[in-house]
Amino acid sequence: KASRVTKPIAGHLAKAGVEAGEIIQEFRVTADTAAKYAAGATVPVADLFAVRKKVDVQGTTIGKGYAGTIKRHHMSSQRASHGNSRSHNVPGSIGMAQDPGRVFPGKRMTGHLGVDLVTTQNLDVIRIDEARQLLLIRGAIPGSKGGFVTVRPAIKAKPQAADKGAT
């Protein structure tokens, strides 16, 4: 909402001639790219991306709350039988004996799972819908349905090889 924007950001948006939106994000571009567009203009999707190109998608993962060690760190649980009593889904030993007499920092234990900023790299752009300004991307998009994601051209993509059928 425009009423929830701080005064410095409101002045920034007023100078650009745009209204406050749900999300405000800046992207570093070259001077040549910035000269193509006026302040507050909508950038068409087709200008930035092409079909069959690789992109990196960044988003916030789904929050899963306070999770146990097995679920949080993808460990395997212990045996379900043969004398295992009340220790099926627990991590097991976490430290050593009197020497060193402590648990080392960084030990994988229970805690908060999810709500992390994650980038999935080298996903394929399958189709571009210019009428609705949509990208159709194949792959694991991080985050929940309806969440915000940032799509950038892939920075680690290998060069595309020529078609194998052509001679």
Side-chain angles (χ1 to χ4, degrees):
K1 291 182 177 180
S3 62
R4 296 182 185 220
V5 174
T6 62
K7 285 188 177 182
I9 294 178
H12 187 74
L13 295 173
K15 185 176 179 182
V18 295
E19 295 181 8
E22 289 185 77
I23 190 168
I24 297 174
Q25 194 166 4
E26 293 183 9
F27 297 96
R28 186 174 291 182
V29 294
T30 62
D32 298 336
T33 307
K36 292 181 185 177
Y37 305 104
T42 302
V43 180
V45 174
D47 289 359
L48 300 176
F49 302 102
V51 178
R52 305 187 87 195
K53 294 292 183 181
K54 302 281 188 179
V55 293
D56 295 342
V57 181
Q58 187 177 51
T60 304
T61 59
I62 298 172
K64 299 181 185 303
Y66 191 87
T69 311
I70 307 297
K71 182 176 184 179
R72 186 179 182 204
H73 298 290
H74 311 292
M75 295 179 174
S76 57
S77 56
Q78 297 180 24
R79 303 176 68 145
S81 61
H82 291 283
N84 193 345
S85 175
R86 299 182 300 121
S87 295
H88 306 292
N89 207 35
V90 295
S93 176
I94 63 168
M96 289 169 268
Q98 186 172 353
D99 183 29
R102 65 192 177 96
V103 177
F104 288 121
K107 178 67 180 169
R108 296 184 298 174
M109 298 178 80
T110 60
H112 187 267
L113 176 61
V115 194
D116 295 320
L117 190 64
V118 172
T119 302
T120 307
Q121 297 180 333
N122 297 332
L123 299 179
D124 293 316
V125 176
I126 302 302
R127 194 169 68 208
I128 298 173
D129 188 351
E130 293 184 40
R132 296 189 292 169
Q133 292 293 302
L134 294 176
L135 287 174
L136 276 68
I137 299 173
R138 176 187 290 137
I141 305 294
S144 57
K145 293 180 181 177
F148 292 106
V149 294
T150 303
V151 182
R152 295 184 176 96
I155 58 172
K156 293 184 180 177
K158 294 178 181 175
Q160 296 288 335
D163 293 334
K164 294 179 180 178
T167 55

